[in-house]
């Protein structure tokens, strides 16, 4: 049962344009969402997060949008740069006290075309 | 900067061998995690630990065990390796009370022949 889904395994975007990565979830107990970026042969690194009490969080070129009613979040990268080519994972955390685990999606491989 | 160090980047083992994957973090984090990453399946949680000598099963604990004798060290053990355990293994840590950001190691690529 995949509670966090990234339905696009891959995405190609021209350098300078906007990259939009999508993520859907099914568990209404998730209250915190994160995006991670992973280069080959490296561990994932934290990119940006959003609490369920917000609908938008921005950090430089990266913006995450959350639509709770649709159980959908998206990551926007503007403008896209070649160094953004990586696999992006969305992740979600439940509100339950003491539950420390993150549930990850399957990942989207983003390729930025120069 | 938080540093999570995994002892081996690449391992090749034979079916039936016992395998130890070691992970050490230097930020005095309470919580430590073992994930595996497989194509098309994302990151799946194997085990996690929120304190010394404490452990909790994740989503796919079968065939694995863990050990946390010291706060900074979290070991993943494959008692009898099988070919379906060929994967990238990722260790992560997080401080208590954090909202969720995990710090990952570089990963250990295990091949079981």
């Amino acid at each position: 049962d995949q509670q966090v889904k990234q339905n696009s395994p891959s995405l190609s975007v021209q350098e300078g344009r906007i990259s939009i990565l999508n993520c859907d979830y099914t568990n209404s107990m998730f209250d915190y969402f994160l995006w991670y970026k992973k280069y080959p042969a490296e561990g994932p690194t934290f990119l940006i997060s959003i609490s369920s009490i917000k609908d938008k969080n921005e950090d430089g070129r990266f913006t995450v949008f959350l639509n709770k009613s649709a159980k959908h979040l998206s990551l926007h990268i503007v403008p896209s740069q070649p160094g953004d080519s990586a696999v992006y994972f969305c992740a979600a955390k439940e509100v339950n006290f003491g539950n420390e685990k993150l549930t990850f999606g399957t990942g989207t491989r983003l390729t930025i075309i120069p | 900067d938080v540093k999570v160090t995994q002892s081996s980047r690449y391992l090749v083992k034979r079916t039936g061998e016992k395998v130890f994957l070691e992970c050490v973090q230097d930020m005095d984090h309470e919580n430590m995690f073992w994930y595996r990453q497989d194509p098309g399946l994302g990151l799946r949680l194997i085990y996690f630990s929120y304190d010394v000598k404490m452990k909790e099963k994740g989503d796919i604990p079968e065939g694995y065990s863990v050990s946390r004798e010291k706060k900074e060290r979290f070991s993943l053990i494959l008692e009898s390796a099988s070919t379906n355990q060929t994967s990238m293994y990722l260790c992560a840590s997080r401080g208590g009370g954090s909202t969720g950001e995990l710090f990952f190691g570089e990963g250990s690529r295990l091949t079981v022949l």
Side-chain angles (χ1 to χ4, degrees):
Chain A
D1 177 30
Q2 193 75 31
Q3 296 187 68
V4 179
K5 302 176 185 179
Q6 294 175 257
N7 292 318
S8 297
S10 63
L11 176 68
S12 294
V13 175
Q14 290 280 349
E15 181 179 358
R17 304 294 292 268
I18 183 171
S19 296
I20 301 175
L21 294 91
N22 294 303
C23 180
D24 297 293
Y25 62 96
T26 58
N27 188 343
S28 57
M29 298 299 287
F30 288 146
D31 70 332
Y32 201 78
F33 303 89
L34 306 92
W35 285 93
Y36 282 82
K37 175 179 178 179
K38 187 180 184 300
Y39 293 119
E42 294 184 13
T45 54
F46 169 73
L47 193 57
I48 193 169
S49 62
I50 188 167
S51 165
S52 60
I53 62 173
K54 294 187 174 182
D55 55 16
K56 176 183 174 181
N57 188 28
E58 191 171 351
D59 183 3
R61 297 186 298 115
F62 303 92
T63 304
V64 56
F65 295 92
L66 175 62
N67 182 334
K68 283 185 65 177
S69 61
K71 293 191 175 67
H72 177 83
L73 66 156
S74 60
L75 174 68
H76 293 210
I77 306 173
V78 182
S80 299
Q81 298 175 355
D84 296 330
S85 294
V87 178
Y88 290 79
F89 293 97
C90 66
K93 180 178 177 296
E94 286 188 35
V95 71
N96 296 334
F97 176 77
N99 185 334
E100 295 292 337
K101 74 174 192 176
L102 289 182
T103 301
F104 283 82
T106 52
T108 296
R109 181 177 301 279
L110 176 65
T111 301
I112 305 302
I113 304 165
Chain B
D1 283 352
V2 174
K3 189 161 180 65
V4 179
T5 303
Q6 294 184 228
S7 55
S8 304
R9 293 295 304 274
Y10 301 94
L11 302 94
V12 179
K13 298 291 182 181
R14 297 209 173 272
T15 301
E17 281 192 81
K18 191 169 186 176
V19 182
F20 292 88
L21 298 178
E22 305 283 340
C23 176
V24 177
Q25 50 95 2
D26 66 358
M27 281 301 291
D28 202 36
H29 282 169
E30 287 80 3
N31 305 293
M32 297 188 74
F33 305 80
W34 275 106
Y35 286 86
R36 63 179 281 179
Q37 182 197 358
D38 300 288
L41 297 176
L43 277 68
R44 294 180 293 166
L45 181 64
I46 305 171
Y47 266 97
F48 66 102
S49 169
Y50 51 87
D51 202 351
V52 176
K53 297 191 185 295
M54 305 302 288
K55 60 184 179 183
E56 292 282 344
K57 291 180 179 179
D59 299 316
I60 51 164
E62 297 78 19
Y64 303 94
S65 62
V66 290
S67 172
R68 189 145 181 224
E69 296 296 318
K70 293 185 177 181
K71 191 175 185 180
E72 67 270 19
R73 187 180 298 271
F74 192 35
S75 303
L76 180 69
I77 303 154
L78 288 68
E79 292 289 342
S80 177
S82 62
T83 55
N84 63 12
Q85 292 178 310
T86 292
S87 187
M88 168 69 84
Y89 290 87
L90 293 160
C91 175
S93 74
R94 183 174 71 222
S98 163
T99 47
E101 180 184 348
L102 294 177
F103 296 89
F104 283 88
E106 292 188 316
S108 299
R109 168 75 62 187
L110 172 66
T111 301
V112 182
L113 303 175

